[in-house]
Amino acid sequence: MPSYCQDSESEKLFQQATKFPKTQPNPHIRGNQETQNIMLMVILALLPALVFSGYLFGFSVYFNYLLAMITGISVEFLWFKWIKRPYQWDYSAMLTALLLGMNLPPSAPWYFPVIGTAFAIIVIKEFFGGLGYNFINPALGGRAFLVALFYQQMFAISWPDPPFSKLPSQPFDPAIDTLSGATPLAIMRAGETLSSHDLNTAFFGFVGGRAGETSAFLLLLGGAFLIYKKIISPRIPLIILGTIGLGAFVLGPEGWFTGSWQNIIGHIISGGAILGAFFMATDYASTPSTKFGENLFALGVGILVIIFRFFGLTNEGVSYGILIMNCFTPAIDRFLRLRVLGEGKQSPFNLKINV
Amino acid sequence: MKKKVTGGFSLSPPLKALKQKLEIQQSQVAIFEPNMVFIPLSQHIGAPAQPIVQPGDYVKQGQVIGESDAFVSAKVHASVSGKVLDITEWPNQNNETTQTIVIENDFTYDNDFLSTPFHWEETANDVIKQKIQQAGIAGKGGATFPTHVKFAIDETKKIDTLVLNGAECEPFLSSDALLMEQKAEQIIEGARIARKLLHDPVIIIGIEDDKPLAIAAMKKATAPYSFIQIEVLPTVYPTGGEKQLVEVLLDREVPLGKLTADIGVILMNVATSFAITEAVCWNKPLINRYTTVTGDVQHPQVIQSPIGTLAGELIDFAGGFQGAPSKVILGGPMMGRTVTTLRVPTTKGSNGVLVFNEDNDWLFTENPCIRCNKCVEACPMRLMPLSIDQYFRAGDYDKCDELLAEACISCGACTFVCPARRNLAATITDAKNKVIALKKEAMQHA
């Protein structure tokens, strides 16, 4: 410091400050969304449907969720120990475990959630690089693995008998399923129209199905919460559900374009469509990076669901629809990117095709 | 027509509350007169000036003390009258040192400014341009591009629109807002002078809707002029970016690697416009500026001070720190730079001094990217920050170039919205610099 001047009081105080580094890159303020609270919000949004599933199918469902969570967290913890990286607590394993649990039949034995979650976390997520690098939805990957192992039990339909009790499940048999075990999808598959009573029970969830997928109402509540919190955008779920609805109209029982409104709604609200559209097809890592890509992805899921439901072996199709479109995600991202502001001429949707 | 910005973000509720807390309610700008000023000879893009005074010389306020032969350079003036104490290497805002002239203020403000305004309406453009160059005006929006260069370059191009930037989109800063409230007429006059130099383009003034007083004052001042139009913009960061403002106001895109002048548009900050009036009408060079001193200081306020006032003295003037200081930023919270010493003087481009204390300064650890695409939605240039970040960290500079990392304007919107707290803006700025350096190297070998 030259002799002709003295430091200001503020400078003297500032030089004593050592708690944080003085130089930091811009920006110096941040938004309030964090990975952890995003995951937590999604779990919160699932909570009503989770609680309701136990009420419908009995306490054993809660036991499966719990087992899935314990497995998910412990295998992830062990994995981080093994690869010698500090464990990061971000609730994502918990979320995967819960989603997997919701996709199991209520009659699933204890080893289903354990095997499914372990596969989802280790093989689908960690083998590919951990959080953010899974190329398909881990919960659905785990479920697909279980379907391959235990096809019959995975497709068994349990019937609700609230509160908190469980009827024995019927083994899966397409013939029986369409005759007596009349889920809304099975009724429609048989070419019949849903009654408003059927629609009502399906909407509120008093129907047979996978543990967490039955109540469209509670899942929509959770979905609306996520949209309100800006964690997911309504585009993906709306496009998927819209496409399914349109498909149900086009492929009506009496020929082209004869779907009744009951069946359109029936297809939208049953068979895991709501759970898949709001909670699984919106998984960040396994969906495209651009809005247009996301829309394309959602359209693909909707079309696949319709194909599987109308022409496939089972009446379902949401989870495989999403899984298959997950596989298209890297390609969509490889070929489509946004046109940078000022780059070349205007293009439709501001897109650029990378070849 | 509702104006829409590509990308960007509005503040989250806690930050909105903070902004409200820091909102500066003042009808008069506070004036601070330091005992000494430290005037850096390099304050902007272009060649640094050479000193043309000696220690011991007496200088008048507004006297030229540094200049350069290079055209892309601006003159440097004494901001107070008094004795030149020293010419020395002094800290600057890039945490380096610059040759700096130290002047002791004698508080007489002896100067040669005009006492009656100069009539520019009938004056030849060359004379006006000469005056602007003489006054050393550099853009006051942040890039500090010498203003006379802007007018000279654009002689060859047909300019149809002059955009006056009053967006001041950096949260917490209100220097431009206060200037618009108080000096609306002078700002408009500056714009009219610029209009004359550019052969009568239309003038559009963009102001964000969180500055109702400034909008009212500017509307009043523009009422007599049919060729001036005021557009109220949504308060979305970074609407005040050059390319963003052109997009929002005119629905035109500035081609990559080109200037706004190439599409017939000149942009000017409202503070630059004010400086033009001062220079042309009163022969007063750019020697004072409004600086917002805010954050964790006792009395956040907008302070008018001569250029060369030390940041520490401005903070002292604002009542000192509130709490234990942690970091001090020159500029706004989004694009401002942290300094390691408060000996850094203000320059022509200093619009704010922002203080964070230990309680409000957070350090974030980076987490893995969850590919939520929030950065893609926030990027005002429509880049893919998540991909550029990933490729840069993997050392794939070709991919960074393919994704046009060079177009990044370093606005920080991606880092702001990132839930994984990744320093996206920092890595993408690095990627951009790397790509530029590699291209330069390739050119030399070619």
Side-chain angles (χ1 to χ4, degrees), chain A residues 44-49 203 215-228 274 278-279:
Chain A
L44 214 64
L46 286 173
L47 221 53
F203 183 70
S215 178
F217 171 66
L218 294 176
L219 290 168
L220 280 173
L221 222 59
F225 171 73
L226 292 185
I227 291 169
Y228 170 72
I274 302 277
F278 282 91
F279 293 93

Side-chain angles (χ1 to χ4, degrees), chain B residues 13 20 61 142 215 241 381 429 442:
Chain B
Q20 236 146 36
Q61 187 188 24
I215 294 170
M381 293 303 295
T429 307

Side-chain angles (χ1 to χ4, degrees), chain B residues 143-159:
Chain B
T144 54
F145 194 70
T147 302
H148 67 272
V149 182
K150 223 175 202 178
F151 287 126
I153 288 176
D154 308 325
E155 190 68 20
T156 52
K157 288 161 187 150
K158 174 76 193 126
I159 302 298

